[in-house]
Amino acid sequence: MNKRIVIVPTYNEIENIEAILDKVLSLEPVFDILIVDDGSPDGTAKKVKEIQQVQEGRIHLLERKGKLGLGTAYIEGFKIALAKEYDFIFEMDADFSHNPDDLICLFKACATPAELKEENLPEEEAGNGDMSIGSRYINGVNVVNWPMSRVLMSYFAGFYVRFITGMKVQDATAGFVCYRKNTLETLPLDQIKFIGYAFQVEMKFTTWKYGFKLVEVPIIFTDRTKGTSKMSANIFKEAIFGVIQMKVNSLFKRYQA
């Protein structure tokens, strides 16, 4: 059977962590979960350890000392998932802005017909992708509870990324993603530089430059109702100027598997 793991970075998610763990672990087919906690002072990691004792083997925890950035959390998580030989590796937020039920859709978009047949899922729904993206904008604008200013900023950020990079991805800043194992094994993870939301763009751009197949899956993104958003002006600044830097740097690189 295929092995799937969901990587969830956390910082002060005590209000959401138990519910997100319960939901992910209840899904069929089975998804394991890796929490990467950046020293949450609210006790997020402690709560994860309590639940680990009940769900032995399916919950993994990486505790880090302080806020080290989204990008480094995922890179460390990817390395752990690959070492544990997971076949499909997912990124997801802890705050239910990403609907855990959509993990199944992301899996289907990366699976082959044979892999879906193993899970008793319809073979015709196989997307055969190397990376699937939970996209807010592939079918219009599917965002709930965001102010219009943030919707517009996010939407036009996608347009900007497409213009600069040449990628056809509608939602390049999306953080709800599935990778096949081979994709992450091929990418030079230690060369991924960005640590904020530009990390999401860089991962998609690098995957695309290596010739992998990217598939967008429509989702509805619902802004968090509990906890505090980690978004800031500096994050958007990194994304805007980082994309230009990334594109220029790519002109001097060779992308070979």
Side-chain angles (χ1 to χ4, degrees):
M1 282 291 185
N2 305 296
K3 292 175 63 181
R4 290 165 292 273
I5 190 166
V6 186
I7 302 173
V8 181
T10 57
Y11 182 77
N12 284 351
E13 292 290 354
I14 192 65
E15 295 177 272
N16 294 303
I17 194 61
E18 185 170 6
I20 202 74
L21 287 170
D22 287 347
K23 179 59 180 177
V24 171
L25 295 177
S26 73
L27 295 174
E28 291 288 344
V30 169
F31 294 79
D32 294 344
I33 192 163
L34 166 61
I35 301 297
V36 183
D37 186 71
D38 273 6
S40 298
D42 70 350
T44 299
K46 182 180 178 182
K47 174 58 71 173
V48 173
K49 289 176 183 176
E50 291 175 5
I51 302 170
Q52 265 186 317
Q53 295 176 5
V54 180
Q55 294 284 355
E56 186 176 354
R58 294 193 57 198
I59 299 174
H60 307 276
L61 172 65
L62 172 61
E63 293 185 83
R64 308 199 304 170
K65 298 184 183 300
K67 298 181 72 172
L68 302 176
L70 181 74
T72 62
Y74 276 126
I75 294 297
E76 290 191 51
F78 293 156
K79 291 178 178 179
I80 291 171
L82 291 173
K84 293 182 179 294
E85 298 185 339
Y86 280 93
D87 302 296
F88 295 87
I89 300 162
F90 300 77
E91 299 179 14
M92 190 179 74
D93 290 348
D95 59 9
F96 284 95
S97 55
H98 301 142
N99 184 347
D101 289 327
D102 288 330
L103 289 166
I104 299 168
C105 300
L106 292 179
F107 166 60
K108 290 177 182 177
C110 276
T112 64
E115 287 166 338
L116 292 188
K117 185 177 181 180
E118 286 183 27
E119 305 292 353
N120 296 315
L121 294 170
E123 297 176 51
E124 64 273 13
E125 295 181 8
N128 296 290
D130 300 300
M131 176 189 196
S132 59
I133 302 161
S135 178
R136 297 163 290 187
Y137 306 123
I138 192 68
N139 288 340
V141 178
N142 292 306
V143 177
V144 178
N145 293 339
W146 264 9
M148 184 55 65
S149 59
R150 188 168 172 187
V151 172
L152 292 172
M153 186 180 297
S154 176
Y155 183 81
F156 284 108
F159 175 82
Y160 171 78
V161 170
R162 291 194 299 276
F163 177 76
I164 297 295
T165 65
M167 282 196 301
K168 303 303 181 184
V169 174
Q170 294 294 312
D171 195 356
T173 61
F176 197 19
V177 178
C178 171
Y179 299 89
R180 293 188 67 90
K181 176 174 67 174
N182 179 62
T183 305
L184 289 179
E185 286 176 332
T186 302
L187 300 185
L189 296 178
D190 289 331
Q191 295 179 27
I192 301 297
K193 300 300 183 185
F194 295 120
I195 61 173
Y197 277 79
F199 163 82
Q200 301 293 2
V201 178
E202 187 176 11
M203 285 296 295
K204 295 175 185 66
F205 181 71
T206 306
T207 302
W208 175 67
K209 291 292 285 185
Y210 270 86
F212 288 112
K213 180 182 178 181
L214 280 64
V215 179
E216 287 190 89
V217 176
I219 64 163
I220 296 176
F221 179 95
T222 304
D223 198 20
R224 66 165 64 236
T225 58
K226 295 180 179 179
T228 304
S229 173
K230 314 304 187 295
M231 186 59 65
S232 70
N234 286 336
I235 287 173
F236 275 110
K237 182 179 178 181
E238 181 199 51
I240 294 298
F241 293 104
V243 169
I244 297 175
Q245 178 187 340
M246 181 186 70
K247 174 63 176 179
V248 171
N249 291 345
S250 74
L251 302 176
F252 304 96
K253 288 183 180 180
R254 294 182 64 188
Y255 295 87
Q256 288 184 314

